[in-house]
């Protein structure tokens, strides 16, 4: 694999024309890696066939497996080369044109104003060649995403500057493209560094983000579901290996079990910390030319840029482990990021700023949204939230469950709902305490949570829809549930005083309708 | 920063902000009740037929059921259907203002959606077979907020739906021009 064929210096001008361009040949590696990852992600079950072959084919199994492996390798190389050969791109006016696909030929046109995010990734296998992968993400579907894997870094940076620059007028398209190239140089100098995270903060992020506990919870669940499968084996192991050594005192066995659990937790935490360091290594957040840039990553350096105007809201999260460490994690919400949560497969990485303190996030939020009064208490929602949720949503199913269990087991079954309500009520009370809201008529904060909490900060002018709902009991008490739809997320404030809810709705509509600023 | 510095509250302007609390909502087309009745009766009819056939052939046996009267059981469900359909239709309505559109529905659980024109991405007209039968249409409004339609106004006379769609798109266009 040799040096890139497109010369970095005149790269951008070359692109603007009728000629199609290829990626650097090193892209073959990228296509192969992508193919392998795709198979690994979607086709883990295929491995079972290999296992089947290994088990059932007898003496010549290695020969057959070797044949399959070399066949797969050849397919991989050929498909990598073909993908490289069929991938072509060029720029025309204000849009990007791509031709790709070996069997299914696809042509894609993505105009600059639809581009939401520009990401520059530097995978480890591109580093020796000075190449990067440039990702252009649109606000629309994931089909419209372009990845130029294997172009020189300077060219990628020029494309980024050009693409993210607002054109002065459509007619001046070509002129704007050329200006962009010259303007990109000085912009690097007045780049403002907002945040640089040392390893210590990444360790804190690794310890305090929720993911590890979610995974641990799921793993525990799966573990106990399969209890029958491993119970016997564990018992045998303990009987044959552990007890002869340590004796069968319940104290010793109990503390051994505790030790094992502690070890697993520590192991998971170490994994999480390592993961955080690998993903967020040398995290830097900078601001230049109306855009926020983020660079991070140990093995794969990633650069992501978001134009300031496209930010829809900020989510300031403090999961419960972060309470102990007094840290917050910020997520920048953009168009379309909210709905991907319900569509697995089209998930994009979210823009997270890990492990910050109020000294960072308060001025940062105000920089984006204007003044916020952090000193005042957020308004609380009505206590009716606890009782109504309990009476409407939990009591009826509990009574039915109690009747059914009671029918089969006698009076003992009736205890069940009382035990259950012991768990549910405190949960609802905790949730009620976390709900909070504040606004100055332009900017708003909405907080929710259970033990930890997340506060969303957003400008009223960016809201898409407001929904005001009232149940019969809410109507009697002049309460309402307000749902605010932003382009990046949906927020719900339950059981707020009707007066506040109506004020929020009216003020949101006023701000959204009178604001002359672009919301995206 | 002190509280007084950051607290922006312009009383003059705030008082001028129009409230959407006392809007007068336009009723939907009166044929809405008929569409609702058709839809709900079909939903009612399927289990009713199943019940009648199964009971008629003696497939359902219980000490509580005997003779002809269990055949009349599904009729009990007809009462709420006949009462609720006109009531529900009466509680639906929409209101158009200069800069936004509102839709309300719900007899007991009431919901009011507000949508500024300048947030509308696109508008769709939809007719299911029952609406087509009665010459009605549903208007669906999409913003960048959710995946599905953010506001649905059912049971508009076809010409009314077209007029409203044209009006909304015009207003949305104006809003876009103002911003640019």
């Amino acid at each position: 694999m040799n040096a890139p064929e497109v010369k970095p210096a005149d790269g951008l001008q070359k692109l603007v024309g009728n000629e199609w361009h290829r990626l650097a040949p090193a892209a073959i590696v990228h296509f192969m890696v992508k193919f392998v990852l795709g198979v690994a992600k979607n086709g883990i079950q295929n491995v079972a066939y290999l296992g089947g072959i290994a088990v059932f084919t007898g003496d010549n199994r290695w020969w057959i497996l070797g044949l399959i492996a070399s066949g797969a390798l050849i397919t991989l190389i050929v498909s990598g080369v073909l993908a490289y050969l069929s991938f072509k791109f060029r720029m025309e006016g204000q849009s990007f044109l791509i031709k790709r696909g070996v069997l299914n030929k696809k042509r894609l046109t993505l105009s600059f104003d639809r581009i939401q995010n520009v990401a520059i990734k530097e995978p480890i296998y591109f580093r020796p060649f000075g190449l990067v992968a440039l990702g252009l993400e649109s606000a629309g579907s994931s089909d419209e995403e372009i990845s130029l894997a294997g172009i020189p870094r300077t060219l990628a940076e020029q494309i980024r500057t050009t693409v993210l620059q607002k054109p002065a007028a459509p007619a001046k398209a070509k002129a704007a493209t050329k200006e962009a190239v010259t303007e990109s140089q000085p912009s690097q100098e007045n780049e403002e560094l907002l945040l640089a995270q040392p390893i210590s903060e990444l360790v804190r992020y690794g310890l305090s983000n929720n993911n590890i506990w979610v995974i641990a919870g799921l793993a525990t669940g799966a573990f106990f579901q399969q209890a029958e499968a491993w119970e016997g084996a564990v018992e045998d192991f303990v009987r044959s290996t552990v007890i002869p050594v340590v004796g069968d005192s319940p104290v010793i066995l109990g503390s051994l079990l505790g030790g094992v659990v502690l070890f697993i937790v520590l192991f998971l935490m170490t994994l999480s910390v390592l993961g955080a360091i690998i993903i967020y290594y040398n995290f830097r957040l900078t601001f230049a030319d109306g855009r926020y840039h983020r660079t991070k990553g140990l093995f794969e350096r990633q650069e992501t840029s978001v134009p300031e105007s496209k930010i829809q809201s900020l989510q300031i999260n403090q999961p419960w482990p972060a309470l102990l460490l007094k840290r917050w994690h910020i997520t920048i919400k953009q168009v379309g990021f909210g709905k991907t949560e319900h569509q697995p497969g089209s998930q994009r990485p979210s823009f997270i700023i890990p492990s910050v303190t109020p000294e960072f996030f308060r001025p940062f939020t105000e920089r984006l949204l204007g003044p916020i009064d952090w000193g005042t208490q957020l308004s609380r929602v009505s206590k009716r939230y606890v009782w109504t949720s309990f009476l409407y949503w939990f009591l009826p199913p509990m009574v039915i469950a109690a009747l059914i269990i009671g029918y089969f087991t006698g009076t003992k079954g009736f205890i069940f709902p009382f035990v259950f309500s012991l768990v549910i009520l405190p949960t609802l009370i905790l949730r009620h305490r976390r709900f909070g809201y504040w606004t100055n008529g332009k900017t708003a904060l909405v907080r929710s949570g259970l033990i930890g909490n997340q506060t969303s900060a957003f400008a009223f002018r960016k809201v898409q829809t407001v929904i005001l709902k009232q149940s019969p009991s809410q109507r009697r008490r002049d309460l309402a549930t307000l749902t605010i739809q932003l382009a990046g997320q949906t927020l719900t404030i339950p059981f707020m005083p009707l007066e506040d809810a109506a004020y929020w709705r009216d003020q949101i509509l006023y701000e959204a309708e009178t604001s002359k600023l672009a919301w995206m | 920063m002190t509280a007084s510095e950051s607290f922006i509250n312009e009383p003059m302007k705030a008082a001028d902000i129009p409230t959407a609390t006392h809007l007068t909502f336009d009723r939907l087309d009166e044929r809405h009740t008929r569409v609702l009745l058709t839809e709900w009766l079909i939903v009612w009819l399927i289990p009713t037929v199943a019940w009648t056939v199964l009971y008629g052939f003696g497939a359902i046996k219980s000490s509580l059921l005997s003779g002809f009267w269990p055949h009349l059981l599904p009729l009990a469900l007809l009462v709420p259907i006949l009462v609720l359909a006109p009531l529900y239709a009466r509680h639906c309505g929409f209101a158009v203002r200069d800069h936004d559109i509102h839709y309300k529905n719900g007899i007991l659980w009431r919901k009011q959606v507000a949508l500024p024109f300048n947030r509308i991405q696109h508008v769709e007209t939809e007719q299911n077979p029952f609406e087509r039968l009665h010459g009605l249409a549903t208007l669906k409004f999409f913003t960048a907020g959710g995946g599905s339609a953010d506001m649905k106004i059912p049971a508009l006379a076809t010409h009314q739906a077209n007029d409203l769609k044209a009006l909304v798109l015009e207003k949305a266009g104006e809003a876009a021009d103002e911003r640019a």
Side-chain angles (χ1 to χ4, degrees), chain B residues 24-43:
Chain B
T24 14
F25 283 86
D26 289 337
R27 291 270 302 276
L28 303 176
D29 195 279
E30 54 188 12
R31 285 167 286 181
H32 189 201
T33 313
R34 275 185 261 164
V35 173
L36 286 176
L37 275 178
T38 327
E39 289 172 1
W40 293 2
L41 283 177
I42 281 173
V43 174

Side-chain angles (χ1 to χ4, degrees), chain A residues 97-308:
Chain A
L97 276 66
I98 298 278
K99 278 205 282 195
R100 68 179 169 203
V102 180
L103 296 174
N104 280 323
K105 299 272 181 203
K106 273 189 201 163
R107 283 188 75 134
L108 184 68
T109 309
L110 187 62
S111 72
F112 293 169
D113 56 2
R114 290 187 55 81
I115 292 171
Q116 166 91 9
N117 241 338
V118 177
I120 295 180
K121 291 181 188 178
E122 194 180 37
I124 204 155
Y125 47 83
F126 274 170
R127 256 180 233 181
F129 309 102
L131 299 173
V132 295
L134 179 79
L136 304 173
E137 296 171 353
S138 82
S141 74
S142 52
D143 285 349
E144 288 186 333
E145 259 139 55
I146 288 178
S147 172
L148 296 181
I151 55 170
R153 168 166 281 278
T154 35
L155 178 63
E157 277 165 5
Q158 286 169 356
I159 293 176
R160 177 172 66 186
T161 320
T162 314
V163 158
L164 288 179
Q165 192 171 57
K166 284 256 170 208
K172 289 186 194 163
K174 273 213 164 160
T177 319
K178 289 214 173 108
E179 271 167 33
V181 184
T182 45
E183 271 176 26
S184 73
Q185 290 340 100
S187 76
Q188 300 294 319
E189 283 159 29
N190 44 37
E191 194 178 62
E192 182 186 350
L193 178 68
L194 299 173
L195 185 71
Q197 289 296 46
I199 300 252
S200 60
E201 286 300 336
L202 301 183
V203 171
R204 284 196 181 91
Y205 179 68
L207 290 175
S208 66
N209 73 41
N210 240 351
N211 304 354
I212 199 72
W213 304 106
V214 173
I215 292 168
L218 288 177
T220 318
F223 217 61
F224 281 102
Q225 236 172 17
Q226 302 294 319
E228 284 144 33
W230 52 264
E231 220 177 2
V234 170
E235 214 176 298
D236 289 346
F237 174 77
V238 171
R239 261 182 223 293
S240 62
T241 324
V242 182
I243 291 182
V245 180
V246 298
D248 58 357
S249 144
V251 181
I252 292 175
L253 285 178
S255 44
L256 258 182
L257 180 70
V260 168
V261 170
L262 192 71
F263 175 77
I264 292 174
V265 169
L266 284 176
F267 176 70
L268 285 175
M269 281 163 85
T270 317
L271 272 190
S272 178
V273 168
L274 282 178
I277 293 174
I278 289 170
I279 295 169
Y280 290 101
Y281 182 74
N282 199 2
F283 181 97
R284 285 164 61 88
L285 182 73
T286 56
F287 182 82
D289 296 339
R291 293 191 292 278
Y292 289 94
H293 299 279
R294 175 186 68 169
T295 49
K296 66 181 177 73
L298 184 60
F299 298 120
E300 185 183 73
R301 284 302 283 172
Q302 280 191 18
E303 290 182 40
T304 323
S305 302
V306 191
E308 189 172 28

Side-chain angles (χ1 to χ4, degrees), chain A residues 335-336 339 343 366 371-376 392-393 438-442 460-472 475 485-490 498 502-503 505-520, chain B residues 1-10 13-14 16-23 25 97-102 106-121 142-151 175 178-180:
Chain A
V335 179
K339 56 188 162 193
Q343 300 167 357
E366 294 196 25
I372 289 174
D373 188 1
W374 299 98
T376 49
Y392 275 52
W393 303 113
W438 172 89
T439 185
N440 59 10
K442 288 187 183 301
F460 274 173
R461 66 182 181 84
K462 297 227 173 189
V463 172
Q464 304 286 320
T465 346
V466 211
I467 302 165
L468 200 149
K469 283 185 212 157
Q470 282 192 295
S471 72
R475 277 213 306 282
Q485 276 190 347
L486 287 151
Q489 63 179 146
T490 301
L498 180 61
Y503 170 74
R505 187 220 15 226
D506 294 340
Q507 195 70 35
I508 284 170
L509 291 177
Y510 177 77
E511 282 291 320
E513 287 158 13
T514 54
S515 169
K516 295 280 183 281
L517 296 163
W519 67 269
M520 69 165 279
Chain B
M1 179 191 50
T2 64
S4 57
E5 265 171 31
S6 70
F7 186 62
I8 300 167
N9 191 2
E10 294 139 317
K13 213 162 119 195
D16 285 345
I17 288 169
T19 175
T21 305
H22 310 292
L23 283 177
F25 283 86
R97 299 197 298 182
D98 256 359
H99 298 283
D100 44 35
I101 181 159
H102 301 251
I107 304 169
L108 289 175
W109 281 268
R110 290 191 192 155
K111 182 174 162 186
Q112 199 175 316
V113 189
L115 183 56
F117 289 136
N118 57 6
R119 293 293 176 274
I120 291 173
Q121 296 282 317
F142 293 82
T143 70
S148 55
D150 296 282
M151 186 193 278
E178 254 176 59
R179 208 172 46 225

